[in-house]
Amino acid sequence: MNVMTAVRAASDTTTVEHFDVLIVGAGISGIGSAYQLTKQLPDRSFVILESQDSFGGTWLTHRYPGIRSDSDLHTFGYSFKPWVGPPIATADEIKSYMGDVIAENDLAGHIRYRHRIERASWSSETNLWTVEAVRTDSQEPVTFTANFLWMCQGYYRHSEGYTPDWKDVDKFKGRIVHPQLWPGDIELKDKTVLVIGSGATAATLIPSIADTCAHVTMLQRSPTYFRIGRNAIELAETLRQLQVKEEWVHEIVRRKILFEQDAFTKRCLAEPEQVKKELIGQISAILGPDYDVATHFTPTYRPWRQRIAFVPDADLFEGIKSGKASVVTDEIDRFTEKGVLLKSGRELAADIIVTATGFNLCMLGDIALDIDGKPLDFADTVTYRGMMFTGVPNMAWVFGYFRASWTLRTDLVADFVCRLLTHMTTKGVNKVVPQLRAEDHNMPLLSWIDPDNFNPGYMMRNMHLLPKRGDKPEWQHSQDYWTEKDEFPRIDLDDAAFVYG
Ligand SMILES: Cc1cc2nc3c(=O)[nH]c(=O)nc-3n(C[C@H](O)[C@H](O)[C@H](O)COP(=O)(O)OP(=O)(O)OC[C@H]3O[C@@H](n4cnc5c(N)ncnc54)[C@H](O)[C@@H]3O)c2cc1C
């Protein structure tokens, strides 16, 4: 099983390589999954196909000034590799950390860069996926077969960001850039910059360019919650002073952060008004009593219905306080030659407009999937715990958490997949397909995520494309790390939800 076989297709000269497991994407999920596979099932052959020319995923794609994590690296980093820097990390620091994981675990030889997967077809005759990719450098088609597809392609389209359809955009005489495709040649010095959006991207970008440009304005339709804190963890500092080993520091700090995040999430549900008051109070304390926090920093939704960006050392608010950055809360009516005209009638002039307006959700890396020749419509499936899908054999998707670090789920899914693959070997079977059990047939089928619980724009715009959710724990992505960490290891692999063949 550990020997990679290369066979020549009978009908043509295309070389088809076979692997036990094919991992899609060399982002933080793909590399973490590969690590777990090598440790837990070292006899399995595997390959990682990545369309870009290096690893990193999100941290490679996004190159705008100031790009950094918005969750701490003790939990966004891997459980097995201590994070030794400040909790909020830059993209370069994250890539360097991932590079160390690749080097220390000999993963480089397993990664094929510049391989964009376009199609994956399951055959019930061979119990194999046939994966067709294109080499982005030579446009050469390449084909692989694999027993299991491990989808680590993230959740948004890397090649483009989301830009709303504004009126008269073409009239604007300045430059428009999307942070996801940040141009290397842009000159911000002494320019007036308008950033449209108020999510984590805007909150990161604005303080990092505020000193360079003449002025930067954040234009938001509605306010967002932020958390402010020092970019340091006192407990980590104390443990290091005591010369505690980094492995221990990582584990202890991880547990502390997870404990506190759990408590915070529960408080957001139990006493949303109090949490709201505290979050807004942190901002008022910096901006002073005369600043209009009611208009600019008081969201209408309850805390945690959308991701809350952490603002290290309050840099965004310090920028506003200094007058280098400002906030306008209004709606765009249309673009003008000089900038944007707002619904209030005010015109905001700018040399450069940055559209920090989010992502385009992307289903399974834009890969056309079919099962025995029948195209797979992902929206017709029901998810098994947000990682497998009814009617889709031998496939798992790493879709992380919104309220906790994404990577926490990478580890949980990896443990599950490795256990499942071992179980299949023990049973002597080649195929596993989730299916609704007899008791599930009258179960209501709901949207992937409950919009009342979590409702960011990119999810709401595309929810109809995502798999369905049931009303039982087996058939939903709970978004609850604290429950899943106990439940996943106990999943009964002989439950009727799994059909083997
Ligand atoms: C700016 C930004 C900041 C974020 N900060 C945080 C944070 O602090 N904490 C947090 O928990 N989450 C954060 N997120 C969410 C973040 O995307 C995830 O946490 C995480 O990086 C996703 O990792 P991933 O490996 O699953 O997917 P990605 O990082 O999206 O990587 C997927 C990889 O798959 C490749 N791929 C996709 N389709 C194909 C295909 N068809 N063929 C070949 N290769 C393919 C892509 O090129 C990419 O390299 C952030 C997101 C963004 C955009």
Side-chain angles (χ1 to χ4, degrees), residues 4 17 26 56 79 94 169 173 188 214 245 295 299 314 324 407 439:
M4 186 266 288
E17 284 184 74
S79 54
I94 297 172
V169 172
K173 294 264 193 267
L188 298 171
K245 285 195 295 189
T295 302
K324 289 178 183 153
T407 328
E439 67 264 36

Side-chain angles (χ1 to χ4, degrees), residues 82-383:
W83 178 257
V84 298
I88 298 298
T90 65
D92 283 344
E93 287 167 340
I94 297 172
K95 277 185 291 183
S96 157
Y97 172 85
M98 287 176 67
D100 289 347
V101 170
I102 292 170
E104 287 159 12
N105 298 285
D106 287 329
L107 297 178
H110 295 274
I111 311 174
R112 307 279 173 90
Y113 295 114
R114 293 174 283 274
H115 280 62
R116 190 181 61 240
I117 304 173
E118 302 207 318
R119 171 170 295 282
S121 308
W122 170 262
S123 159
S124 296
E125 231 167 79
T126 58
N127 280 335
L128 290 176
W129 285 101
T130 298
V131 174
E132 292 170 41
V134 173
R135 292 203 52 145
T136 58
D137 43 4
S138 61
Q139 300 309 310
E140 183 198 341
V142 272
T143 306
F144 299 81
T145 54
N147 302 83
F148 197 91
L149 266 192
W150 200 330
M151 304 299 295
C152 298
Q153 79 293 343
Y155 60 98
Y156 65 89
R157 190 164 295 126
H158 280 252
S159 57
E160 56 170 30
Y162 171 71
T163 309
D165 209 4
W166 290 299
K167 206 170 149 202
D168 295 341
V169 172
D170 49 341
K171 291 207 170 128
F172 179 57
K173 294 264 193 267
R175 192 163 177 185
I176 300 177
V177 294
H178 194 289
Q180 201 172 312
L181 300 174
W182 192 261
D185 65 343
I186 195 152
E187 181 52 75
L188 298 171
K189 191 158 171 31
D190 300 330
K191 296 282 192 317
T192 305
V193 180
L194 177 65
V195 178
I196 305 174
S198 60
T201 301
T204 306
L205 179 70
I206 290 169
S208 78
I209 63 172
D211 279 339
T212 313
C213 37
H215 188 78
V216 52
T217 304
M218 176 168 100
L219 171 61
Q220 59 176 8
R221 200 165 44 177
S222 53
T224 309
Y225 287 109
F226 295 101
R227 290 179 89 177
I228 298 171
R230 204 158 68 87
N231 190 16
I233 293 175
E234 241 170 70
L235 177 61
E237 290 172 332
T238 307
L239 292 172
R240 285 183 183 128
Q241 265 175 356
L242 299 174
Q243 298 186 325
V244 171
K245 285 195 295 189
E246 283 296 344
E247 285 77 12
W248 287 32
V249 176
H250 188 58
E251 184 58 28
I252 294 168
V253 173
R254 246 170 106 81
R255 287 186 193 205
K256 177 175 189 281
I257 291 168
L258 289 169
F259 180 81
E260 287 172 355
Q261 281 177 352
D262 187 27
F264 180 70
T265 304
K266 286 183 178 139
R267 281 193 66 218
C268 287
L269 292 168
E271 40 177 15
E273 284 310 315
Q274 178 58 27
V275 176
K276 183 172 180 172
K277 218 167 118 188
E278 287 168 17
L279 292 175
I280 297 165
Q282 280 194 311
I283 299 172
S284 296
I286 295 169
L287 296 180
D290 297 335
Y291 190 87
D292 186 3
V293 284
T295 302
H296 301 309
F297 291 110
T298 307
T300 50
Y301 57 93
R302 67 169 155 71
W304 254 155
R305 243 188 215 169
Q306 300 191 13
R307 228 178 141 83
I308 303 180
F310 181 79
V311 180
D313 306 318
D315 56 6
L316 171 67
F317 303 101
E318 294 296 347
I320 296 170
K321 192 172 152 188
S322 73
K324 289 178 183 153
S326 53
V327 183
V328 174
T329 305
D330 205 327
E331 269 190 72
I332 295 175
D333 179 54
R334 63 194 143 92
F335 275 55
T336 63
E337 280 190 16
K338 287 196 220 139
V340 293
L341 182 67
L342 302 173
K343 292 216 166 133
S344 62
R346 179 176 172 192
E347 188 175 16
L348 289 179
D351 302 310
I352 296 165
I353 295 182
V354 180
T355 52
T357 39
F359 318 113
N360 276 318
L361 196 75
C362 164
M363 283 310 97
L364 297 174
D366 285 329
I367 300 168
L369 281 108
D370 69 84
I371 315 281
D372 293 322
K374 188 168 179 274
L376 174 69
D377 185 345
F378 214 30
D380 290 343
T381 70
V382 182
T383 184

